[in-house]
């Protein structure tokens, strides 16, 4: 099969690999589309330490089940499924037992610990594959599987009150999906981002305002989510919070955070929270939300053979919405 691999930081190359064999509890999935996530960029560039070399990136995979291991239970052959970032957890540690499997120290991730979806075929443990809502194309579904799910968890971690005022810093693939969930829940959304095209998209989707990344929002925020991997925005976002507000940091990677001033940034019970991956329940809840409320994924399609260009464009902020690799049919 054709696949793209990362061997050395900063470069991705197309190669021929054997079609993988599913393990006893796994499914073999023929890839139909794969989202291009900023985490893939961190894997390519070495911002995330290599867990497997070489590795096939990609963890927003939509495909069709074509084979299954003898112990695999779940989606039947021919079912359209999603292959997400969270690939496997131990199920026995204290975190798994108390419903925080995203913190499992033995957790494994698609496209980092195991080969992912920048390929014609991928395997996934059956218990970690998602059945997908109807009414969406493959390309529309792909970004929901990480950008959507992680954004949903970040929104939950932000403790936004009903009808509250949410600030979103950075407005790429995950943020533009999360904004729609918040708006569907009755929130007032203010977007702060450096991209003029992203500000235009935010207003089109229903944001109350859209300003520059370092601008002050027009009103104090009850909650904020930082999607941009820029630590220097942490004090900016904290200072924009109202008393009792929460800032949730959504990314797996963040540049260094400048020194915080206690009274200006944290006093009056403002809270700073990180987000680590997601649980399967997060994914199921978000996909149920997507089934009930039409979420418009702004997608820029790239042919499979242009995965390198898609990553370059993402790095240079030339992608509006989400880049998605499409497989020839």
């Amino acid at each position: 099969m054709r696949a793209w691999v990362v061997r050395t930081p900063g470069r991705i190359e197309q190669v021929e690999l054997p079609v993988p064999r599913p393990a006893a509890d796994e499914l073999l999935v023929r890839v139909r589309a794969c989202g291009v996530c900023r985490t893939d960029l961190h894997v390519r560039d070495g911002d995330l330490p290599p867990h497997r070399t070489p590795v096939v990136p990609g963890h927003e995979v939509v495909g069709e089940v074509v084979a299954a291991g003898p112990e695999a239970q779940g989606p039947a052959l021919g079912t359209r499924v999603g292959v997400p970032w969270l690939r496997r957890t131990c199920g026995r540690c204290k975190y798994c037992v108390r419903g925080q499997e995203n913190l499992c120290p033995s957790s494994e991730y698609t496209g980092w610990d195991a080969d992912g979806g920048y390929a014609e075929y991928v395997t996934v443990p059956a218990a970690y594959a998602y059945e997908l809502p109807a009414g969406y194309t493959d390309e529309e579904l792909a970004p929901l599987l990480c950008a959507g799910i992680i954004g949903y968890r970040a929104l939950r971690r932000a403790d936004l009150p009903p009808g509250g005022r949410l600030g979103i810093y950075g407005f790429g693939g995950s943020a533009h999906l999360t904004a729609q969930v918040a708006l569907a829940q009755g929130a007032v959304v203010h977007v702060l981002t450096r991209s003029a095209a992203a500000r235009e998209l935010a207003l089109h989707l229903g944001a109350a305002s859209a300003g520059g990344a370092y601008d002050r929002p027009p009103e104090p925020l009850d909650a904020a989510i930082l999607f941009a991997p820029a630590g220097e925005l942490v004090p900016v976002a904290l200072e924009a919070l109202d008393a009792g507000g929460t800032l949730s940091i959504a990314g797996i990677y963040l540049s260094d955070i400048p020194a915080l001033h206690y009274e200006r940034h944290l006093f009056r019970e403002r809270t700073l929270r990180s987000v680590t991956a997601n649980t399967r329940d997060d994914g199921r809840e978000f996909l149920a939300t997507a089934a009930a409320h039409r979420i418009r994924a702004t997608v820029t399609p790239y042919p499979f053979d242009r995965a390198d260009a898609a990553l370059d464009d993402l790095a240079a902020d030339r992608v509006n919405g989400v880049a998605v690799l499409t497989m020839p049919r």
Side-chain angles (χ1 to χ4, degrees), residues 20-44:
R21 286 187 172 186
D25 66 341
E26 292 180 348
L27 307 172
L28 178 64
V29 175
R30 179 185 292 117
V31 177
R32 289 163 36 168
C34 184
V36 178
C37 178
R38 191 162 291 275
T39 301
D40 301 334
L41 197 59
H42 297 321
V43 169
R44 186 199 70 174

Side-chain angles (χ1 to χ4, degrees), residues 163-168 171 179-180 182-184 186-192 198-211 216-221:
R165 300 156 298 178
L166 175 68
I168 293 180
F171 205 69
Q180 293 177 65
L183 288 165
V188 176
V189 175
H190 300 288
V191 170
L192 297 308
R199 292 194 293 270
E200 183 178 342
L201 174 61
L203 294 172
H204 176 71
L205 291 174
S209 73
R216 172 79 69 163
E219 57 183 337
L221 304 173

Side-chain angles (χ1 to χ4, degrees), residues 67-90:
E71 299 173 13
Q73 298 181 0
L77 298 184
T79 303
R80 184 169 68 163
V81 297
V83 181
W85 174 237
L86 184 66
R87 178 181 174 83
R88 195 184 290 276
T89 57
C90 74

Side-chain angles (χ1 to χ4, degrees), residues 158-161 165-168 221-225 241-242 245-248:
D159 279 345
L160 179 68
R165 300 156 298 178
L166 175 68
I168 293 180
L221 304 173
D222 297 306
I225 305 173
L241 291 176
D242 203 352
T246 297
L247 171 61
S248 172

Side-chain angles (χ1 to χ4, degrees), residues 243-258:
T246 297
L247 171 61
S248 172
I249 299 177
I252 192 173
Y253 169 82
L254 188 72
S255 61
D256 289 345
I257 300 172

Side-chain angles (χ1 to χ4, degrees), residues 301-327:
Y302 286 78
F304 176 75
D305 288 334
R306 297 193 66 232
D308 51 350
L311 285 169
D312 288 343
D313 287 350
L314 180 62
D317 286 332
R318 291 191 293 262
V319 177
N320 192 25
V322 185
V324 176
L325 303 183
T326 59
M327 305 300 294

